[in-house]
Amino acid sequence: LRDKLGLEHDYKPIILDAEKLANAGNYQILKDDVHAVTFCRFGKVTQAQETALLLAIAQHSKVQKVFFADNLGENKQDLSDYVLRLREDKEAQRTAQAVIQMTEQSSTSRTEPYVDYRENGKIKGLHLIKPKVNQDTGEVTEKETWICDNLELAGEGKTISGEYYYLFQRQNHDENAPRTVAIAREDFGTDSGWKMLKAQGLKMTQGSGLTQKLTEHFHFNGNHFTQWTITNVTGWLNGAYLLPNGEIIGTPSKPIYFTDKSSSSLGYTTSGTLADWQREIAQNVRGNTSMMLGVAVALAAPMLSLLNNDSFGVHLFGNSGKGKTTILNIANSIYGRPRELKLSWCSTDVAMKNEAAARNDGFLTLDEIGQAREAKYLESIAYDLFNEVDKTRGRKEGGNQQIKRWKVTALSTGEKDLETQLRINAVKVHAGQLVRLLNVPLETVKELHGFKSPKEHADHLNEKTEECFGVIGREWLGYLVNNAETIRTTYKAIRKKWLELSKNMSDQVQRVGVNRFVALETALVLSSHLTQWTKEECEQVILKSFTRWKEEFGENSKEETTIIDLLTSWLLINE
């Protein structure tokens, strides 16, 4: 244990037996200068003993970090937040005292029915135990009635809107890992709550009296210490990153339970290795501006929240046959299987905003702007997607629904630029749309890397993106988790350079240069150890893309440019 916990070899642990645990509240266990402590369980430790110990720690010490582990120092539970609540919250103290009292009564006086795990031949699980005392001999006999498979309370949770949950864990016999199920406190003990558990594989009896005893059992037994964060939003949470499939990158400060999934969540998988992606994709993308720009847009997505930047997108436009679909496949391969992650402009604005919320702090692609279903959807998606917030909607029972929020980057393609596509559909163009979704002309492939034709080059990339995907994205997210300060420092240095570059341009162009292209360059430069592209190559790609965007957008205010263009057109028509 000393080796495991990094302690000196002459360190002597504090050993708390049953008697000391029973009287934990009567004396000071830890010195005032102790700020972190790990308790390792040996033998059977009851919940009443654990609760009494934590209450004593809260009231008689200044410790900030408290962990529970097994007798090998593994399986640590972080109880620091619970101890803090016990120290500051009177209601939490009263609840703890009630748990101690109820558990002690049930463990010392076994004359009342209680729930316990038993193995009765082939029947294993939680049973209702009914003790019967022989009045003549004092002998206690027990009647066991099976209730359900083994089920453990793994902790309690709360949503950002304040709804409470119980977290249960159980192991299905045909699965390798245990399942975790979150049941809203309001549903626990009801038919709907038990149905949720049974849908996850739990076998249980139909007796209402038995399930009532089971409900009471979990209210006062199990792990009520561990506090979970219940969320339906992906992205950065508790110092870790939550993918739309529920996968967590990094170690969260509190455990996370994800209640929702994107319609594309099954696409967030991995195939191949990082070396495969580098060899088959990155090396064949190298030197091709539009392809490298697509990768930059994908990599920039999870950085936005870390840098407090706004959502934005890049729209690559050009004639068909120039490799637009290939670019989308390359960009999507960073986080998962491309064909399952790719979205289309042929969608409603509501569906697109729902998908953006499901991919918060993430990346999405929109294929072929000309396929937009209606002009109103094209306008709404082009504007509202990057507005980062949905409309406020009321609830039938009163009040408002929780507002959906998101932060994303998007990569879009089409034969025409956004401005032209809007005008074709007789939609008024707003400058805000053109600085949120940047129109960048598509550059044809220049570097074929030994392939005989652009088609052969594209066919190879499209094939390999279906074989090598998802790994580099997880490596990138792992890097972001551990290097937040490096990201901010690098961003500030690149931002300074871009401010100098755009100092003679309009405020509108400067804002785009600072908030969009700086983020893209930062993402490419910091990910060079993964893509194996040089810093110079990354800088040149973003500078070239900025120049091509500026040629489309103009160096002056877009509103002023539009007025001049309209007046010039009118004069020519009416000459």
Side-chain angles (χ1 to χ4, degrees):
L1 277 176
R2 283 195 291 254
D3 292 341
K4 180 69 179 179
L5 301 175
L7 302 170
E8 299 294 334
H9 284 283
D10 59 351
Y11 176 83
K12 294 180 180 179
I14 298 171
I15 299 176
L16 304 172
D17 59 15
E19 183 181 353
K20 289 191 177 72
L21 287 172
N23 296 288
N26 298 329
Y27 59 91
Q28 184 173 348
I29 299 171
L30 303 174
K31 296 179 180 179
D32 288 338
D33 59 350
V34 175
H35 299 291
V37 61
T38 298
F39 292 103
C40 300
R41 300 181 182 92
F42 287 82
K44 183 172 178 57
V45 184
T46 68
Q47 184 181 6
Q49 291 171 327
E50 290 184 351
T51 306
L53 175 61
L54 292 171
L55 188 57
I57 291 296
Q59 295 177 337
H60 302 296
S61 80
K62 297 179 180 179
V63 69
Q64 299 297 315
K65 291 290 182 181
V66 181
F67 302 94
F68 275 176
D70 61 15
N71 57 10
L72 298 177
E74 299 284 359
N75 306 322
K76 286 188 178 181
Q77 293 173 266
D78 189 347
L79 301 166
S80 308
D81 289 340
Y82 181 67
V83 169
L84 181 61
R85 282 191 289 120
L86 288 177
R87 189 173 287 152
E88 299 178 350
D89 189 343
K90 296 293 184 183
E91 182 61 33
Q93 294 170 15
R94 285 192 290 270
T95 303
Q97 291 286 6
V99 170
I100 295 168
Q101 185 177 1
M102 289 293 294
T103 310
E104 285 177 341
Q105 288 174 354
S106 63
S107 62
T108 56
S109 177
R110 291 296 189 177
T111 58
E112 295 296 323
Y114 63 97
V115 175
D116 197 13
Y117 176 80
R118 296 291 171 89
E119 296 185 13
N120 186 2
K122 292 184 179 180
I123 301 177
K124 302 177 181 179
L126 297 179
H127 289 68
L128 177 62
I129 312 300
K130 291 185 176 180
K132 185 176 181 180
V133 182
N134 187 310
Q135 298 297 327
D136 297 327
T137 65
E139 182 183 357
V140 179
T141 58
E142 295 179 338
K143 180 184 177 182
E144 301 176 358
T145 306
W146 180 82
I147 303 176
C148 67
D149 291 337
N150 194 26
L151 183 66
E152 295 182 2
L153 182 65
E156 299 182 355
K158 190 164 69 170
T159 66
I160 192 171
S161 58
E163 297 165 331
Y164 284 85
Y165 281 75
Y166 278 150
L167 280 296
F168 292 94
Q169 283 186 342
R170 67 170 316 276
Q171 178 72 57
N172 288 324
H173 68 86
D174 60 336
E175 297 176 340
N176 295 325
R179 289 195 180 199
T180 302
V181 185
I183 307 292
R185 189 82 67 82
E186 63 179 347
D187 292 328
F188 180 62
T190 67
D191 288 342
S192 60
W194 298 127
K195 283 180 181 179
M196 290 178 66
L197 286 167
K198 287 189 278 190
Q200 297 296 321
L202 181 74
K203 290 182 291 186
M204 70 182 305
T205 185
Q206 298 298 321
S208 59
L210 294 175
T211 54
Q212 180 181 349
K213 285 293 183 183
L214 189 62
T215 302
E216 294 172 359
H217 167 74
F218 281 119
H219 277 317
F220 299 104
N221 293 278
N223 177 8
H224 290 268
F225 310 129
T226 304
Q227 298 298 306
W228 294 62
T229 298
I230 311 296
T231 183
N232 61 356
V233 179
T234 61
W236 294 106
L237 188 64
N238 297 350
Y241 188 93
L242 176 65
L243 283 163
N245 65 347
E247 184 180 348
I248 297 173
I249 308 298
T251 304
S253 57
K254 283 185 181 179
I256 298 168
Y257 185 88
F258 185 43
T259 61
D260 209 353
K261 287 187 178 180
S262 157
S263 62
S264 308
S265 63
L266 295 179
Y268 287 89
T269 56
T270 62
S271 177
T273 65
L274 176 60
D276 294 334
W277 192 90
Q278 291 168 336
R279 181 182 64 255
E280 302 294 349
I281 299 175
Q283 292 307 310
N284 290 303
V285 166
R286 177 178 241 141
N288 294 302
T289 300
S290 293
M291 289 181 172
M292 293 176 71
L293 178 61
V295 170
V297 178
L299 293 173
M303 280 182 18
L304 297 184
S305 287
L306 300 178
L307 298 172
N308 198 29
N309 275 9
D310 296 330
S311 300
F312 71 94
V314 170
H315 176 68
L316 295 172
F317 65 95
N319 295 331
S320 59
K322 284 195 172 185
K324 296 189 291 291
T325 300
T326 303
I327 295 172
L328 296 186
N329 287 339
I330 292 166
N332 277 321
S333 75
I334 290 174
Y335 297 108
R337 187 185 292 276
R339 68 167 175 259
E340 294 181 10
L341 295 184
K342 185 168 62 175
L343 303 174
S344 169
W345 276 95
C346 184
S347 175
T348 66
D349 55 342
V350 173
M352 193 58 62
K353 285 186 283 189
N354 287 341
E355 194 62 34
R359 301 191 190 193
N360 179 54
D361 286 330
F363 168 68
L364 54 85
T365 56
L366 300 171
D367 193 19
E368 193 45 63
I369 197 170
Q371 293 180 0
R373 293 174 62 176
E374 296 180 30
K376 64 177 182 179
Y377 293 143
L378 173 64
E379 179 184 20
S380 180
I381 292 172
Y383 194 84
D384 292 343
L385 179 60
F386 306 109
N387 211 27
E388 301 185 348
V389 62
D390 200 3
K391 295 177 181 177
T392 302
R393 293 182 172 87
R395 290 161 49 171
K396 291 181 180 178
E397 59 272 26
N400 293 328
Q401 297 180 21
Q402 185 176 342
I403 300 174
K404 291 183 177 179
R405 301 179 186 276
W406 60 83
K407 194 176 286 288
V408 295
T409 64
L411 183 64
S412 164
T413 63
E415 293 190 12
K416 296 178 175 60
D417 63 279
L418 173 63
E419 186 173 8
T420 301
Q421 196 67 44
L422 288 170
R423 292 193 189 284
I424 288 174
N425 287 276
V427 176
K428 183 179 179 181
V429 181
H430 299 279
Q433 292 165 321
L434 304 181
V435 294
R436 294 178 180 197
L437 185 61
L438 312 174
N439 288 305
V440 180
L442 186 70
E443 185 177 278
T444 55
V445 174
K446 299 274 181 72
E447 298 292 338
L448 296 179
H449 298 283
F451 292 95
K452 296 178 181 178
S453 66
K455 183 180 184 306
E456 186 178 310
H457 178 253
D459 288 345
H460 171 82
L461 286 169
N462 288 326
E463 177 186 344
K464 292 304 177 182
T465 55
E466 286 296 324
E467 297 176 5
C468 315
F469 54 79
V471 178
I472 182 176
R474 285 151 179 80
E475 292 286 340
W476 172 237
L477 291 170
Y479 175 83
L480 296 180
V481 167
N482 297 314
N483 294 277
E485 193 54 42
T486 301
I487 294 157
R488 296 186 186 96
T489 302
T490 305
Y491 176 80
K492 288 177 182 177
I494 294 175
R495 184 174 183 271
K496 185 177 180 181
K497 178 186 71 175
W498 277 83
L499 284 173
E500 182 64 26
L501 176 70
S502 59
K503 65 181 181 181
N504 294 323
M505 302 176 190
S506 70
D507 290 343
Q508 208 169 51
V509 172
Q510 279 195 8
R511 286 197 306 274
V512 173
V514 169
N515 295 327
R516 314 291 195 256
F517 287 95
V518 173
L520 293 172
E521 184 176 323
T522 303
L524 275 194
V525 169
L526 289 176
S527 64
S528 59
H529 65 290
L530 299 174
T531 61
Q532 298 185 327
W533 300 333
T534 67
K535 179 184 177 184
E536 290 72 22
E537 287 175 318
C538 297
E539 291 173 340
Q540 286 303 310
V541 162
I542 303 304
L543 181 59
K544 190 172 184 179
S545 300
F546 171 75
T547 303
R548 292 172 70 82
W549 168 78
K550 184 167 61 68
E551 288 172 355
E552 289 290 320
F553 187 85
E555 291 192 11
N556 299 315
S557 165
K558 193 63 182 177
E559 286 88 347
E560 294 177 10
T561 306
T562 302
I563 291 171
I564 294 170
D565 289 343
L566 287 171
L567 180 57
T568 303
S569 298
W570 187 89
L571 289 171
L572 290 172
I573 292 169
N574 297 281
E575 188 178 4

